[in-house]
Amino acid sequence: MNQIDAASARRAELAKALADTRSKIPSTCTLIAVTKTFPLSDVKILYDLGERNFGENRDSEGSEKSSHLPPDAIWHFQGEIQSNKIRSIARWADYIHSLDDIGHAEKISAAANHGAGGKIVNVFIQINLDEKLESSNSLRGGISPAELDQFTDSISRLTGLAIVGVMGVAPLGVDPSPAFAQLQELSQELQNKLPKARFISAGMSGDFEVALKYGATHIRLGSSILGRREGHL
Ligand SMILES: *Cc1c(COP(=O)(O)O)cnc(C)c1O
């Protein structure tokens, strides 16, 4: 296959996968194409196909890709937050899905107020939905469900940052329903305090149809649109 054929084959492949996926998701729900590890050329094709929300989990990759897309593309950071990357992340990301640390929230606020030119960074509070938190070899980020109230109080007065909802990743290898049900309850708890913070970021390629049943408003899809990833998660 020559290069032009390869590019149009990829375009056809992404168009089909995107259309198939969209057909399973209500239009009221935001579909985030998780483009981490995939090339800029794929992001551009998805943009041409009408996709506007893109998810990345590394600062360097998100920063680079976002600089090549038109300004109406919306960028979601959903990876582990490293303190020394926050200034940069706050520059390119419109949404941060993985907030679970008060110190990080303060840095995001400071970056938004100073570095990033008066912009508001939207944040989801990530909640760890793994049942056995105590065993604590959980690799996932997130505050524990019991901490939500206090965590919210600690960060809700920060300027430059808007709490928009909760985010969770269902545990692997078990029925995701209980975890998503719990996240929906926690969303309600958050809304009792902050009525505007009504978003629920939940559901990946393997479980988004279940997440939809439990009120997901933002679904993060990588492999079901772009194919299998090599290398890092
Ligand atoms: C990689 C990733 C996704 C996308 O995963 P897929 O299974 O490829 O859809 C969604 N959310 C988070 C937090 C991720 O790290």
Side-chain angles (χ1 to χ4, degrees):
M1 233 187 329
N2 69 34
Q3 265 184 15
I4 293 171
D5 288 346
S8 62
R10 183 59 170 156
R11 186 184 168 94
E13 188 174 64
L14 289 177
K16 181 175 186 317
L18 186 61
D20 284 352
T21 310
R22 282 231 179 98
S23 72
K24 297 175 192 158
I25 297 175
S27 58
T28 49
C29 182
T30 301
L31 189 172
I32 300 166
V34 179
T35 47
K36 65 186 182 192
T37 77
F38 288 96
L40 176 64
S41 53
D42 281 352
V43 185
K44 287 185 167 166
I45 292 171
L46 290 170
Y47 182 90
D48 285 344
L49 293 168
E51 179 56 42
R52 288 295 177 270
N53 288 274
F54 301 97
E56 291 286 338
N57 67 343
R58 293 195 171 178
D59 172 51
S60 52
E61 218 180 314
S63 170
E64 168 66 17
K65 285 176 182 165
S66 60
S67 72
H68 293 285
L69 269 281
D72 66 338
I74 300 164
W75 292 88
H76 301 258
F77 180 84
Q78 49 177 44
E80 193 185 325
I81 300 174
Q82 286 175 280
S83 218
N84 62 342
K85 299 288 168 63
I86 288 176
R87 262 173 170 280
S88 173
I89 295 168
R91 233 171 268 139
W92 61 267
D94 301 291
Y95 290 83
I96 294 178
H97 289 242
S98 42
L99 181 67
D100 62 1
D101 181 285
I102 294 166
H104 291 167
E106 286 166 349
K107 285 199 172 159
I108 293 167
S109 170
N113 287 332
H114 304 294
K119 119 179 208 190
I120 301 278
V121 181
N122 300 292
V123 299
F124 289 83
I125 298 173
Q126 184 174 356
I127 301 175
N128 191 321
L129 302 173
D130 285 356
E131 271 174 51
K132 296 192 186 70
L133 257 184
E134 314 81 52
S135 73
S136 179
N137 41 19
S138 166
L139 293 171
R140 300 180 192 290
I143 60 168
S144 84
E147 289 169 331
L148 178 59
D149 211 45
Q150 232 197 325
F151 187 82
T152 306
D153 286 344
S154 308
I155 66 169
S156 59
R157 277 180 206 83
L158 295 172
T159 55
L161 149 167
I163 303 169
V164 297
V166 291
M167 179 275 208
V169 177
L172 280 176
V174 296
D175 175 11
S177 303
F180 289 142
Q182 184 183 23
L183 190 63
Q184 190 172 33
E185 281 171 27
L186 292 163
S187 166
Q188 200 51 61
E189 183 185 319
L190 178 63
Q191 289 177 69
N192 291 341
K193 188 161 274 187
L194 300 176
K196 280 196 231 160
R198 57 174 193 83
F199 291 159
I200 301 178
S201 169
M204 302 168 44
S205 295
D207 59 18
F208 72 90
E209 282 161 304
V210 182
L212 282 171
K213 289 191 194 147
Y214 293 96
T217 63
H218 289 65
I219 294 184
R220 311 175 310 269
L221 299 180
S223 51
S224 63
I225 296 173
L226 289 125
R228 216 171 72 84
R229 277 184 302 278
E230 308 293 333
H232 78 83
L233 201 110

